[in-house]
Amino acid sequence: QVNLVQSGGGLVQAGGSLSLSCVSPRRYAMGWFRQATGKDREFVAAINWAGTSTGYGDSVKGRFTISRDSANRTLFLQMDNLKLEDTGVYYCAARRAPSSGYYYLRTVEYDTWGQGTQVTVSS
């Protein structure tokens, strides 16, 4: 059983930056999702287990960067130019993949989740 432990997050003013990290098991495709109060969990970014292919939600493209350090088994989400609407609880997610080329965009495609970490963007 994989145990995903997240760190990072916090409070930042609009336009600022924050970073998140998560334990990243080998040969697992990984993703970041977020959930604002009263809303469904939303796809943010995903990466294949080789770290060579990434995907992003439309609302974060050009501002967020997902990456992974396989040697240190860590997944990262760098968040720049944060907006008020980026506020929410952020979750990392993992699942086994049949090969290195896959990453996944939907919550139902993941079977392991981190504990969540709050990101609050203020004006």
Side-chain angles (χ1 to χ4, degrees):
Q1 180 70 26
V2 173
N3 184 28
L4 302 182
V5 178
Q6 299 178 218
S7 60
L11 174 65
V12 66
Q13 285 192 320
S17 297
L18 281 175
S19 63
L20 305 178
S21 63
C22 173
V23 169
S24 172
R26 291 177 181 168
R27 298 182 180 268
Y28 276 69
M30 304 288 295
W32 288 100
F33 292 78
R34 67 187 181 189
Q35 190 164 18
T37 303
K39 295 189 176 181
D40 292 335
R41 195 164 295 190
E42 173 191 21
F43 169 70
V44 174
I47 191 167
N48 64 338
W49 61 253
T52 56
S53 294
T54 59
Y56 295 91
D58 288 342
S59 61
V60 306
K61 282 180 182 176
R63 300 188 298 119
F64 290 13
T65 303
I66 188 172
S67 63
R68 66 193 302 168
D69 179 344
S70 296
N72 293 305
R73 301 192 180 188
T74 306
L75 176 74
F76 301 99
L77 184 68
Q78 177 64 37
M79 304 181 290
D80 297 318
N81 190 21
L82 282 158
K83 303 178 180 181
L84 296 178
E85 53 265 39
D86 294 319
T87 294
V89 178
Y90 283 68
Y91 298 90
C92 64
R95 61 157 289 161
R96 290 187 181 272
S99 72
S100 64
Y102 288 82
Y103 62 82
Y104 302 88
L105 310 182
R106 300 184 301 161
T107 57
V108 295
E109 295 177 304
Y110 291 88
D111 53 19
T112 304
W113 293 84
Q115 80 276 18
T117 186
Q118 179 69 42
V119 170
T120 302
V121 184
S122 65
S123 59

